Amino acid sequence: MLLTPRGRCFLALALPCQRRCQAPAPKVLFLLAHEWTLKQSVKRIKHSVLQETLYRSVPFNMEAVEMASLKRPHSEDDVANVDEIKRQKISEESSKTGSNSEQSVDVVTEQPGKPLLEDKKDDIILNEEGEEEDNELEESDEEGDPESFADMMKHGLIELDVGITKFVSSHKGFSGILKERYSDFVVHEIGKDGHISHLDDFSVPVDDEDPSEEIFTVLSNEDKQHLEELQLFKNKETSVAIEVIEDTKEKRTIIHHAVKSLFPGLETKTEDRDGKKYIVAYHAAGKKALANPRKHSWPKSRGSYCHFVLYKENKDTMDAINVLSKFLRVKPNIFSYMGTKDKRAITVQEIAVLRITAQRLAHLNKCLMNFKLGNFSYKNHPLKLGELQGNHFTVVLRNITGTDDQVQQAMHSLREIGFINYYGMQRFGTTAVPTYQVGRAILQNNWNEVMDLILKPRPGAEKGYLVKCREEWAKTKDPAAALKKLPVKRCVEGQLLRGLSKYGLKNIVSAFGIIPRNNRLMYIHSYQSYIWNNMVSKRIEEYGLKAVSGDLVLKGGTAVHIEEADVDNYTIHDIVMPLPGFDVIYPKHKIGDAYKEMLSADNLDISNMRHKIRDYSLSGAYRKIIIRPQNVRWEVVAYDDPRIPLFNTDLDKLEGKPTPILATEGKFKALKMEFSLPPSTYATMAIREVLKMDTSIKNQTQLNTIWLR
């Protein structure tokens, strides 16, 4: 689920799921308290404090962090009364439900209608082919009561709609609150060598080539503004002259270094003017100099790339890179990384940047509020997308209701069996038009349908200007007129309308091509994921949790069928299922036929997945049915104060904060869990298996109104 700041939400993970055929138990108290709701509930809290609180209590996006202080401001204290009200509501509703929670769940259970909040593996998610996926929903600007928002979200998807219908474990589910504090969800990247990234060192490598620290203070703010305008070609001047006050050779040298270091692409020279010394900055190599830092300014003995660990809160990786590049005055494309991390969490990952010194990077720690940079080193290579082994998660579920025995059963099952490797709900969008429908229309070569699905009016939560844009399009079919309704034209709708204005309504293919390639492929990957989820549910329903003849396994990267004589040599953890494409094979049992039938129902030929347009031809891929997390650890802890952290982050440790002292007995219980997952795996699905709940935003928002009463 992706929500804009106006839609940041509190979240409580609800009680056990029942079978689909049973009525929803009122015991399910899944909370989704939006910003406008909290405004009504706690009017005495200033907006700025409220906004910070919301950033700390946002819906979970598993993989994996707007500007929030790393100093842990006291906004969480200021809203303690909100937390207490929330707990009272949970307690009151739970007390009404009687024995419903005692109902058992079969080993493979049909998907119930109860929610857990949807996880995003990242605001941008690495898909099976290493592409990036950006599936963000821009939500309505309009103020409104929670019921109206819930009404809008009635048009969204539930897990059943995208094929998520099974569990593999037999334990009873229980409730808990995830991200009561956003510091309750921490992600550490695991590199290709198996090393888990941690921020534990702020020191800068000693290098005689580094300029003095004075380069950061020798230029006035006015000088910096003029130099930045010159660097970015924002004025007509061809140079900027800086008068040298208190002229000495040392002072001039520092100014030279400051300009060249802080404003890549500029060169400097010293000039005498009317008896005064000036440092004159100018462009030496035109606009290309900004994207290609000067080779001659970098010591030959030093690796060209500075690698560092980025610790961030409430900022996704791409936003973080954009902020760093803005402060460093360089292009974002000189940064590299192994994977993108989610916004709504504390995340720790490795970044590499071309020819920027550790000294300059470390200086940013003094001015950036929601980042910390450390563990600097120089190397001769950048980082490559997808080179990571995965991510290690530390998650706290607060105010759990499960007994110790329930918790032990759930966590033992997660460790020993694992969870179904479904694609999470965010893969399919959160509005009334699922992304997989657009992908299906692309594969069908039905471009009018593609255009219509993206641009037509739709019910649900959207920004007001998007609603007006869609209405204009429906009324006039004039792309230029509809485009004028959009103040932000970088969204998919704006890009498509710009393409239609340029190429005309009879050349939708070219118009659609204006949308960035990764965004276009996102739709097709969503359709593949939709097929895969449905087929895996059928596979588990038909054959259970054992390998059978006709299943697929990977041998040296090649998929082969299991023969009857070899069945005993494999387990469910070896089985893979294909994402449909022209370069995959399918199971040799009923599920192979089910693939063909499902694609045929969508007017697609399973034996011809090549598209007229090469970009949209699907080669396919293989994905394991069951994922068994590694390094699974857990403990149940007691606490009284919901404001206190239950573990220390890397930054807490660096700042010398004492380890939290936990009560032996307390009003509340929390489950602290740790586990490692491979890339392209949704941690939401792991927590879904533990708590036994639906992850769709539709169910969350419907149940939110229960809590608000």
Side-chain angles (χ1 to χ4, degrees), residues 189-198 200 309 338 350 375 389:
E189 186 175 74
I190 306 173
K192 63 180 179 180
D193 59 355
H195 173 73
I196 299 178
S197 294
H198 283 279
D200 52 22
V309 168
M338 294 182 287
E350 187 175 353
N375 297 78
Q389 274 193 20

Side-chain angles (χ1 to χ4, degrees), residues 318-383:
M318 290 307 301
D319 283 343
I321 295 297
N322 288 334
V323 170
L324 293 176
S325 62
K326 179 179 179 181
F327 274 81
L328 294 168
R329 302 178 181 89
V330 296
K331 293 287 188 182
N333 61 6
I334 70 171
F335 291 87
S336 59
Y337 46 86
M338 294 182 287
T340 55
K341 299 293 177 285
D342 181 45
K343 178 176 182 176
R344 300 173 187 96
I346 293 176
T347 70
V348 184
Q349 69 180 117
E350 187 175 353
I351 305 287
V353 60
L354 176 64
R355 296 192 185 99
I356 299 293
T357 65
Q359 183 186 33
R360 286 185 67 191
L361 292 167
H363 186 73
L364 297 179
N365 285 332
K366 301 176 182 178
C367 51
L368 293 177
M369 297 179 65
N370 55 342
F371 309 110
K372 289 294 179 184
L373 285 60
N375 297 78
F376 303 102
S377 63
Y378 293 106
K379 299 180 182 179
N380 288 316
H381 60 84
L383 296 170

Side-chain angles (χ1 to χ4, degrees), residues 17 51 55 89 100 124 165 237 286 411 516 529 683 688 692:
C17 292
Q51 187 178 39
Y55 282 149
K89 289 284 187 180
N100 287 344
I124 300 175
T165 62
E237 302 297 327
M411 295 308 298
S529 305
R688 168 187 181 269
K692 292 289 183 71

Side-chain angles (χ1 to χ4, degrees), residues 1-10 32-39 47 50-59 61 65-67 117-118 120 123 134-143 149 152-153 314 316 319 342-344 430-431 460-466 488 491 493 697 701:
M1 177 178 97
L2 278 171
L3 295 175
T4 54
R6 193 172 291 280
R8 306 292 191 233
C9 41
F10 282 108
L32 183 64
H34 294 277
E35 179 175 342
W36 58 79
T37 304
L38 292 178
K39 284 180 182 175
H47 174 72
L50 178 59
Q51 187 178 39
E52 171 62 20
T53 303
L54 290 169
Y55 282 149
R56 291 179 178 276
S57 308
V58 293
N61 262 335
V65 270
E66 291 253 47
M67 288 284 197
L117 208 118
E118 167 188 331
K120 287 275 318 249
D123 282 359
D134 188 354
N135 214 14
E136 183 159 359
L137 164 67
E138 293 197 30
E139 193 177 66
S140 172
D141 281 0
E142 311 299 328
E143 295 286 328
F149 183 81
M152 286 191 291
M153 293 316 300
N314 269 350
D316 69 38
D319 283 343
D342 181 45
K343 178 176 182 176
R344 300 173 187 96
T430 52
T431 65
E462 286 196 307
K463 285 186 177 296
Y465 58 73
L466 266 176
V488 179
C491 59
E493 292 83 358
I697 181 175
T701 49

Side-chain angles (χ1 to χ4, degrees), residues 153-165:
M153 293 316 300
K154 287 178 182 177
H155 306 284
L157 300 171
I158 60 173
E159 287 187 347
L160 178 63
D161 296 328
V162 295
I164 302 174
T165 62

Side-chain angles (χ1 to χ4, degrees), residues 223-240:
D223 289 336
K224 290 178 181 177
Q225 181 179 346
H226 291 322
L227 288 166
E228 182 174 4
E229 290 173 352
L230 175 67
Q231 180 202 33
L232 301 178
F233 298 91
K234 288 186 176 180
N235 56 28
K236 296 180 180 179
E237 302 297 327
T238 57
S239 64
V240 170

